[in-house]
Amino acid sequence: MIVILRQPSCKPGVCPPTLRSTTPYQPRREASGVRVLVIGGTAFLSRAVAEIALARGHEVVCLTRGTSGDPPPGATHVRVDWSVPDPDPQLRGTFDAVIDVARRPYRGVRLLTDRMYDRAGHWTFVSTCLVYRDRSTPGATTDAELIAPDGGGPYAPSKLASEQAVRLRFGTRALIVRPGLIAGWGDPSDRFGYWPERLARGGTVLAPGRPEDLIQWIDVRDLAEWLVESAERRRSGTFDAVGTPVGIGSALGSMAAALDVPSELVWVPQEFLHSAGVVPWSGQDSLPLWVRRPDDAGLMARDPLPTLNNGLRLRALADTARAALAWERALGSHRERKSGLSPARERAVLDLWRAGAR
Ligand SMILES: NC(=O)c1ccc[n+]([C@@H]2O[C@H](COP(=O)([O-])OP(=O)(O)OC[C@H]3O[C@@H](n4cnc5c(N)ncnc54)[C@H](OP(=O)(O)O)[C@@H]3O)[C@@H](O)[C@H]2O)c1
């Protein structure tokens, strides 16, 4: 049974700033499941969060426009567009936890946290590892220097401004999570999935850089599980959500072994790839999991230990690769990719490389 012990102490969004560091919200004591608001809930990470929260016995409300489909069965759907100036959500009651996953403008974060600060027991905000200034140093932690926040700016500065808005209103009730590359079922970016899809086709595979170059990722299910578990425990602070860095050669080898399709990796140096017009990281004509070195050598080599020591559990790469491949196949292998090389382009770059190497 869900019992709300206390109603809001003042109208959301109109309390004076001094009140904002207090904790008007009182958690329920008797419920086995708690009431969770997921900002998002119909796509990729936010959907996984909603699914896991439901599976763990929580009451789940998902806030989306409704253009990405429905939330998982069992969740309540509140339809709101956070890109409009005053979305006026039809949200009722209090929430033990808000897990704010959806990528959306700072303005929306401000509005929602203003409205909800006294109606939420705990607030998780999903940010990004791109908020760090230095991208070149492997092993960095959340102590590293940050970029300048900018609420009206592009993705990363706006995420950082949003983090600050969440901290201002929720203080010790706030958990800020900065994921690196998220992988698995539902990934809309076509990045990680490029590799299992490519390796499953077998043959000669163009591999970027050097096998020992470090990469890291986090399975969407592991991240979602940790977000829900952290909300249950009311974990606070700031964490990077990343997997253990490994050499890209070892990672591609493990994926190929898991998919059990023979392939040969041909390692092509980054300088050649740049000159051939292949782009690192993401986008058309890119090779995902490849970053510019040394400038971005730390981007996929952050220190996962603080988060692992706080309960994050990581599954085997084979599991993530199979899930990502299943998603690739659900999307269709012949689609135009947002990231990765087409088979023809990969062949052309390999031919160029071999011609130069002779
Ligand atoms: N992918 C990565 O590798 C990566 C890495 C680091 C951090 N992140 C962060 O991880 C999160 C990923 O979230 P996600 O997978 O759930 O995908 P998302 O694209 O950030 O959010 C999708 C969800 O938000 C809803 N939504 C989008 N725009 C909305 C709007 N204007 N008003 C109301 N709802 C809206 C969508 O439903 P409707 O479309 O129906 O509205 C959907 O449920 C993001 O915060 C992202 O910045 C991602």
Side-chain angles (χ1 to χ4, degrees):
M1 185 179 71
I2 305 279
V3 182
I4 308 293
L5 291 181
R6 188 169 163 179
Q7 292 302 313
S9 58
C10 63
K11 200 166 166 243
V14 296
C15 294
T18 47
L19 270 182
R20 290 182 178 170
S21 57
T22 64
T23 308
Y25 174 87
Q26 297 290 318
R28 281 171 266 144
R29 297 198 188 99
E30 292 168 43
S32 56
V34 298
R35 191 160 193 249
V36 180
L37 174 64
V38 179
I39 313 298
T42 53
F44 198 32
L45 176 61
S46 61
R47 186 176 178 96
V49 165
E51 281 170 355
I52 287 169
L54 285 164
R56 290 169 78 108
H58 303 311
E59 180 188 345
V60 175
V61 176
C62 295
L63 203 68
T64 83
R65 291 166 301 185
T67 57
S68 302
D70 296 322
T76 302
H77 197 180
V78 175
R79 290 166 197 262
V80 163
D81 182 350
W82 278 104
S83 61
V84 302
D86 189 0
D88 187 31
Q90 299 300 303
L91 281 174
R92 303 275 178 262
T94 62
F95 293 88
D96 298 279
V98 175
I99 307 183
D100 185 353
V101 188
R103 177 194 315 254
R104 65 184 201 294
Y106 163 76
R107 184 181 65 232
V109 178
R110 276 288 310 275
L111 276 169
L112 193 59
T113 48
D114 273 352
R115 265 207 189 104
M116 298 293 295
Y117 93 95
D118 57 353
R119 293 205 276 141
H122 180 267
W123 196 284
T124 301
F125 180 72
V126 176
S127 182
T128 169
C129 270
L130 296 176
V131 295
Y132 297 106
R133 186 178 298 286
D134 175 11
R135 295 183 173 194
S136 65
T137 311
T141 65
T142 52
D143 293 336
E145 194 187 344
L146 300 168
I147 57 172
D150 180 354
Y155 176 64
S158 165
K159 278 281 195 191
L160 194 54
S162 302
E163 286 186 12
Q164 293 176 345
V166 171
R167 271 195 213 94
L168 177 70
R169 280 154 193 78
F170 287 89
T172 56
R173 295 181 290 142
L175 173 68
I176 306 296
V177 180
R178 298 172 177 158
L181 182 72
I182 306 171
W185 177 270
D187 179 6
S189 77
D190 286 350
R191 288 178 292 183
F192 184 94
Y194 172 80
W195 288 106
E197 196 283 328
R198 175 62 196 91
L199 291 164
R201 282 190 275 121
T204 306
V205 177
L206 169 52
R210 300 164 307 174
E212 64 271 25
D213 291 338
L214 292 178
I215 61 166
Q216 70 189 159
W217 62 90
I218 184 162
D219 188 294
V220 64
R221 293 163 291 177
D222 296 337
L223 176 54
E225 187 96 34
W226 187 72
L227 290 172
V228 174
E229 189 247 351
S230 295
E232 288 166 354
R233 288 168 175 262
R234 301 166 71 83
R235 189 171 273 125
S236 66
T238 302
F239 293 88
D240 290 336
V242 290
T244 306
V246 293
I248 186 172
S250 151
L252 297 184
S254 300
M255 282 194 221
L259 303 174
D260 203 19
V261 179
S263 58
E264 181 210 1
L265 299 178
V266 175
W267 293 95
V268 178
Q270 65 167 358
E271 294 72 21
F272 184 86
L273 293 174
H274 291 311
S275 68
V278 182
V279 180
W281 186 243
S282 73
Q284 287 207 328
D285 242 6
S286 67
L287 276 175
L289 299 183
W290 169 47
V291 292
R292 202 178 294 271
R293 292 169 202 276
D295 296 9
D296 292 339
L299 199 57
M300 279 195 293
R302 301 194 66 77
D303 183 356
L305 268 183
T307 316
L308 291 173
N309 289 339
N310 274 275
L312 174 66
R313 288 182 299 275
L314 303 172
R315 72 192 60 225
L317 172 55
D319 190 353
T320 305
R322 284 193 209 101
L325 179 60
W327 173 245
E328 285 281 331
R329 289 186 168 157
L331 291 177
S333 298
H334 297 298
R335 74 190 188 281
E336 199 170 313
R337 304 190 63 87
K338 290 179 195 152
S339 298
L341 299 181
S342 68
R345 177 76 167 122
E346 185 200 34
R347 253 190 323 274
V349 177
L350 275 173
D351 287 348
L352 264 178
W353 166 245
R354 286 183 176 129
R358 272 200 289 271

